[in-house]
Amino acid sequence: MISARVESVRQLMLAEGVDALVLLGLSNIRYLCGFSGTDGVLYITAEQTFFLTDSRYIAQVETQVTADHFICYKNKFPRLVEELILHKTSRVGFDADAMSVATFNELQLLSAENIKWHPVSDALCSLRAVKSKDELQWLRHAARINKLAFDEIEPLIKPGNSEQFVARELEFALKRLGGEANAFPATDKGRAKGSFIEREQIIKDNIMSSLLREVVVPTGQTPAEIILSHYAPFYRERNIDGEQRVE
């Protein structure tokens, strides 16, 4: 599956007129080589793939990463530019959405006149929008995990249980069922008292599934009282023509 993705990237590179593509965003790195750590660089040329990271991830790279070459660096960007120049890449594409201005400026300074940098963010997004049969299967699996976890903790959403408690139980259920991590924390999103908003996103082999549920918890208040208690801080009174009004 990864080799097919890399070949699609090479077609993108050809269309964009770049000699290599540098990826710093962890989601794209994992998508194209399998690495799930927190620091690394992947760059792809017309014929080879190179993964760069530091010594903390040597063992992980050996068992997880699909790439032609692995490079262990002490200084990330100087070593990256050194490799790009060594392989005679003069026009390099990069994902601007995953690269800060500070990093871009540093790469430009290090590469001087040797490399021209070309953003390809939109093309990368279009590439990942097309799902393979395997990816569709994982999406369904991630969605099933979300549903099963929510069904398990739904009885806990009741008066007396805090949203933080329910959120912790939900995260535990998601992981127990095979999910890797929450992409975002479960939250009530600041909605009116008496409602519990549960948004779950679980990562499974770099696949995310999002589920949005709203559960109304009885509080003994009327709907009007719930609304007023929620919005009261945004209201103020003022006197107009001798009449007291609420805004």
Side-chain angles (χ1 to χ4, degrees), residues 36-68:
S36 64
T38 59
D39 192 22
V41 182
L42 177 68
Y43 82 87
I44 301 170
T45 67
E47 297 179 352
Q48 301 178 89
T49 56
F50 300 79
F51 182 72
L52 295 77
T53 191
D54 61 56
S55 58
R56 295 173 297 167
Y57 297 106
I58 291 175
Q60 183 176 350
V61 167
E62 291 174 350
T63 59
Q64 190 180 58
V65 171
T66 300
D68 297 315

Side-chain angles (χ1 to χ4, degrees), residues 4 23 42 179 189 228 237:
L23 297 164
L42 177 68
K189 292 294 181 183
L228 285 174
E237 294 184 350

